[in-house]
Amino acid sequence: MTERTVIAIDGPAGSGKSTVARRVAAHLGYRYLDTGAMYRAIALLALRQGVPLSDERALSALAREARIRLDGDRVFLGEDDVTAEIRGREVTRSVSPVATVSGVRRTVVERQRVAWPGEALVVEGRDIGSVVFPDATLKVYLTASPLARARRRARQDGRPVREVLAEILERDARDEGRRDSPLCRAEGALVLDTTGLSIDRVVAMLVRWIRGALAE
Ligand code: DC
């Protein structure tokens, strides 16, 4: 296998991970891989096909059959551009149970590992530094207080902070508590608490740290 640079960025919902990872990738000229989008696309497919979120076998089969394509910022299911739809409330509510299914994770992880062979990547998710790319060149764990994360999401979605906070806490508990690949800080990861920091600041800090570390 070609030796390539992989920057793994993990962290909980609302930690600023997606925006940060996308911008860090643009700064470095690397490909950006949003792994949450893949779980979201499978959740959307399950909703569309009426597959019960409790049916692990059916969800695993769906993941194997799903034709998911990530193209820059766009996400496709077959020919269908589902970029906006996978961010909707219905999918956001349904994705966590889908992502707890081991059969789903197996398929998605395999696809992540073979995406864009040989190219330098910034990969963002929950289990990237621990499971998908345990040999990643550099690992980052972004976090922020639950309230700070809820405030960011509430601002983005135009919803009450209290409502978003309850959802975030529930999703955290599920993502951290699942048996297969729970959200965790990978060994050797740089832990950065973004509470009170602007996205610009976080991006600048990470780009400097990554460039420095790669130059060593
Ligand atoms: O980052 P996000 O909100 O788009 O993630 C959607 C869901 O997928 C969330 O419940 C966590 C899960 N996920 C995961 O289990 N593993 C990943 N590598 C990425 C996301």
Side-chain angles (χ1 to χ4, degrees):
M1 207 164 90
T2 334
E3 187 71 29
R4 59 159 162 185
T5 305
V6 175
I7 313 291
I9 303 186
D10 290 300
S15 57
K17 217 172 15 86
S18 299
T19 316
V20 168
R22 191 173 280 123
R23 287 179 45 186
V24 166
H27 270 279
L28 299 170
Y30 292 5
R31 288 265 192 197
Y32 163 62
L33 181 56
D34 173 1
T35 62
M38 300 173 78
Y39 292 101
R40 284 173 180 270
I42 294 165
L44 174 61
L45 203 55
L47 291 171
R48 281 184 176 176
Q49 298 193 4
V51 172
L53 300 180
S54 53
D55 189 340
E56 300 204 354
R57 279 176 73 115
L59 289 172
S60 304
L62 207 60
R64 283 193 300 273
E65 290 155 18
R67 288 169 46 230
I68 304 166
R69 188 163 55 85
L70 304 183
D71 186 359
D73 279 351
R74 317 301 305 171
V75 182
F76 295 85
L77 256 182
E79 297 307 309
D80 194 6
D81 185 338
V82 295
T83 312
E85 211 175 342
I86 60 164
R87 304 287 159 202
R89 285 197 69 184
E90 194 66 14
V91 171
T92 299
R93 235 197 313 257
S94 311
V95 62
S96 206
V98 171
T100 60
V101 177
S102 292
V104 171
R105 300 201 71 83
R106 223 175 359 255
T107 300
V108 173
V109 167
E110 271 167 26
R111 294 194 186 170
Q112 289 160 8
R113 288 188 179 138
V114 298
W116 298 304
E119 294 195 50
L121 301 177
V122 173
V123 190
E124 172 245 311
R126 303 290 196 289
D127 60 342
I128 309 306
S130 52
V131 174
V132 184
F133 291 109
D135 297 328
T137 321
L138 293 170
K139 301 178 185 181
V140 178
Y141 187 88
L142 285 189
T143 184
S145 74
L147 187 58
R149 294 190 282 124
R151 285 200 176 120
R152 286 175 190 158
R153 278 284 153 104
R155 206 165 36 227
Q156 268 170 16
D157 303 350
R159 295 172 49 211
V161 174
R162 206 187 310 182
E163 193 181 297
V164 180
L165 180 60
E167 282 176 15
I168 278 190
L169 292 176
E170 190 190 319
R171 201 135 67 96
D172 280 0
R174 209 194 287 253
D175 292 341
E176 284 166 12
R178 68 174 175 233
R179 238 176 317 144
D180 189 349
S181 317
L183 168 66
C184 64
R185 296 163 194 215
E187 220 182 290
L190 171 82
V191 179
L192 183 56
D193 187 331
T194 68
T195 310
L197 295 179
S198 70
I199 293 285
D200 283 347
R201 182 90 200 281
V202 176
V203 171
M205 286 167 80
L206 282 183
V207 168
R208 201 171 41 216
W209 177 71
I210 291 167
R211 287 203 169 121
L214 293 179
E216 270 172 15

